Amino acid sequence: MRLFGLETEYGITREDLETVDPVVESMELVRAHLTASFERRWDYSGEDPHDDARGFRVSGLQQDREEDEFAKLDAHRPFSFHEMKSDLVLPNGARFYNDHTHPEYSTPECRMLRDLLAHDRAGERVVQRAAERRNRALGGPHVQVYKNNSDFHGHSYGCHDNYLVPRAIPFPSLVKGLLPFLVSRQVIAGAGKVGIEAQESGFVPGAYQLSQRADFMETELSVDTMHDRPILNTRDEPHADREKYRRLHLIIGDANLCEYATALKVGTTQLVLELIERGAVPDIELADPVLAVKQVSRDPDLKATVRHRRGGALSGLEIQMQYYEAAQRTLAGTDAGTDWVLREWEDTLRQLTRDRRALIGKLDWVTKQWLLDTFAQEERIGWDDPWLASLDLEYHNVNPDRGLYLGLEAEGKAWRMTTETDIEQALSAGPHDTRGGLRGLCVRRFGDQITSMQWERIRFAGGLAGRTLEMGDLFDPADVRACAVVLEAAASPSEALTEWTRRKEGRS
C-alpha cells in the first residue's frame, strides 16, 4: 500500500462579531491548542511550490502576488509572519497551523485506510477542542469551526489528498489516467452543496449539487492552488528523495465527514494510481474536463453526460464503473485492503442507481440531500430558501452539540470504520509504520531539543553535524519500526542518531 495523507483547511467564524478577522481568529484558534508559549519549529526553507511536475520551474505564482498583498495588509499586526502561522507539530506527527485565513490540520503520513480515518477524525477533535478552549477565554460559544469547503460568498478552501508515487511514472501518464477519474470521483466523494457559487456571478440558490469544490475548478493543470485552481495540481514538491519519488497533491476533493466517503475517496484513488503504474487504466479522454466537473456536480440525479474527445458521452457513474472494472480485472486478490475497496466501490456505484437511502450515513452528498429534503418538506419551503444554506453549513460544524452530521453519528446512523479508542490513540501517537509516527515520537521524547522540522527532516540542538534525522527515503515499514525502537531506547537525540547511523551502515 502506498503512503497517503490529508490536509484540511477549516472554515472559522465568530458569532459575536459583525466583522471577523479570519487571520487573527485562525491564529488564536491554533494557539489555543498550546499549554505553553509558541516556539517556532517548522522550517519553511524546505518548501518551494514553484517547481512544476511538467519539467519546468515557474518564476512566480498568482498566489505569490496575493501573499505580497497579505503582507501589506498584515504589516500593522503586532506579530511576525512565523508568529502568525503558529505552526505546530503535534505528538501524533500531525501539523496544525494557521494557513493565513484558515486553521489547517495535516494528518501524519498513513499506510492503512483505518489509520487515515482515525487521524482525520483526530484532526476534527484537535480543532474543536481548541475552539472550546478559545471560547472559554472569550466567555461564550462564539467561535464555530466547519469542516467544509465554501462560505457561500465566493471563497473556497481545500481538503487536499496526497499520495507518494514513484518518480518513474511519467507525469503525462498520471495526467491521462487521473483526469477522467477525478472529474467523476465526486459521485462517491462529494460533500454536497446547496446552490451554485460561480465566482463571476456570486451565490445562486435553488439547486443542489454533489461537490463543494466543483464550482471553483478553473483549469485542467496548474502549479497554482489559490487561483486558476486545477483539477490536477502540478506542484513538484515531494517532501522525499526527489530522485525516487513525487508527491501527488490533489486539491479538487471535498472535505468529508462520512468516514465511508473518505475511505472510498482515498482507497479508489490509490487503486487508480496502481492501474496507471501498470498501464491498465481505461481509455477515456474527456473533451472539456473543467466543464465536465461542473456538469457532473450539478446533476444529483446522476444522468448528466460529459463529452468524450473522440465522440460520444459518458455519465460520471459510467466513468467510475469503467475505472472500477479495470481495477477489478487487474488488482483483485492483491490483498485484503484492495479487495475491500473493490467490493465497496462496486456496491456504492450500484446503490447509486437503485435506492440511495442505503448510502445515508456513508456518502456525504446523499446524507446531506436527505437531511435537507426532509427538512424542506416538513417546513414547506423551497430549495432557494436561505434557511437551507444555513443548515448546509451546520452539517459541517465540528461542534458535536451543533453539527448535523455529528448528530446523526451520535444516533448511530452513520457508518464507522473507526472507534473512539482509535481516535484517542490517533490523538496521542502517529502510525507505527510510517515516518509520521517517528515525527510524533521525536516530539514526545525530545520535543525540547528539536530546533527545526520539515516533513522529511528533524534537526536537534547541538549543531547540525550529526544532529539530523533524515527521513527522505525512510518509508519501508521494517525500517520505520527499527528506527522507532532506537528512538524509544535512547537517552538523548545524539545517542539515538549515533545508533541509527551505526545500524544503517551495518546493513549497507
Side-chain angles (χ1 to χ4, degrees), residues 171-221:
F171 192 74
S173 297
L174 289 172
V175 173
K176 186 176 187 299
L178 280 169
L179 277 179
F181 171 74
L182 294 175
V183 164
S184 59
R185 189 178 69 169
Q186 57 190 306
V187 305
I188 58 175
K193 179 179 176 178
V194 172
I196 296 170
E197 201 166 358
Q199 290 175 296
E200 65 278 3
S201 58
F203 178 69
V204 180
Y208 184 79
Q209 59 177 315
L210 309 184
S211 168
Q212 298 199 343
R213 287 287 272 179
D215 286 339
F216 299 93
M217 293 297 108
E218 299 167 275
T219 189
E220 294 179 27
L221 304 172

Side-chain angles (χ1 to χ4, degrees), residues 205-262:
Y208 184 79
Q209 59 177 315
L210 309 184
S211 168
Q212 298 199 343
R213 287 287 272 179
D215 286 339
F216 299 93
M217 293 297 108
E218 299 167 275
T219 189
E220 294 179 27
L221 304 172
S222 173
V223 71
D224 261 301
T225 58
M226 295 192 295
H227 296 276
D228 290 330
R229 288 187 182 93
I231 296 171
L232 186 55
N233 185 232
T234 59
R235 178 184 296 180
D236 192 2
E237 195 177 37
H239 300 316
D241 185 334
R242 179 174 288 273
E243 298 300 316
K244 295 181 179 180
Y245 308 105
R246 70 170 82 246
R247 175 177 61 111
L248 184 66
H249 180 238
L250 301 179
I251 71 169
I252 190 175
D254 288 2
N256 295 108
L257 286 159
C258 289
E259 291 186 9
Y260 189 83
T262 300

Side-chain angles (χ1 to χ4, degrees), residues 187 208-210 294-305 315 356 365:
V187 305
Y208 184 79
Q209 59 177 315
L210 309 184
K294 296 173 174 59
Q295 290 174 319
V296 172
S297 181
R298 295 174 186 178
D299 178 30
D301 292 329
L302 306 182
K303 295 178 181 178
T305 58
S315 70
R356 294 183 197 166
W365 76 265

Side-chain angles (χ1 to χ4, degrees), residues 429-442 444-446 469 471 474 476-491 496 499-500 503 507:
H432 68 278
D433 55 0
T434 78
R435 68 182 187 183
L438 297 179
R439 192 182 308 113
L441 178 56
C442 287
R444 297 195 303 276
R445 291 226 60 214
F446 307 120
L469 177 60
M471 300 186 293
L474 189 49
D476 185 279
D479 290 342
V480 169
R481 294 187 184 100
C483 187
V485 169
V486 170
L487 290 168
E488 288 278 16
E499 175 60 18
W500 179 236
R503 293 195 183 195
R507 290 200 302 270

Side-chain angles (χ1 to χ4, degrees), residues 106-168:
S106 298
T107 68
E109 302 89 326
C110 296
R111 192 179 302 277
M112 305 298 292
L113 285 176
R114 188 187 186 99
D115 286 342
L116 182 68
L117 295 179
H119 280 280
D120 187 43
R121 298 304 302 271
E124 296 171 14
R125 304 294 171 86
V126 166
V127 170
Q128 175 57 22
R129 291 175 186 181
E132 290 168 358
R133 285 190 286 272
R134 174 81 170 127
N135 282 329
R136 284 195 292 270
L138 293 172
H142 305 309
V143 173
Q144 298 296 324
V145 186
Y146 304 91
K147 190 183 183 186
N148 72 335
N149 305 103
S150 167
D151 65 355
F152 297 99
H153 295 288
H155 303 110
S156 181
Y157 30 99
C159 177
H160 305 169
D161 44 320
N162 297 270
Y163 305 84
L164 187 75
V165 298
R167 190 163 287 272

Side-chain angles (χ1 to χ4, degrees), residues 494-507:
S494 177
E495 180 180 316
L497 292 171
T498 298
E499 175 60 18
W500 179 236
T501 299
R502 186 190 67 79
R503 293 195 183 195
K504 288 195 297 180
E505 290 175 347
R507 290 200 302 270

Side-chain angles (χ1 to χ4, degrees), residues 312-331:
L314 295 166
S315 70
L317 272 176
E318 288 170 334
I319 294 171
Q320 281 288 300
M321 185 58 75
Q322 287 198 29
Y323 274 92
Y324 158 73
E325 289 171 348
Q328 176 67 29
R329 287 193 303 269
T330 308
L331 304 175

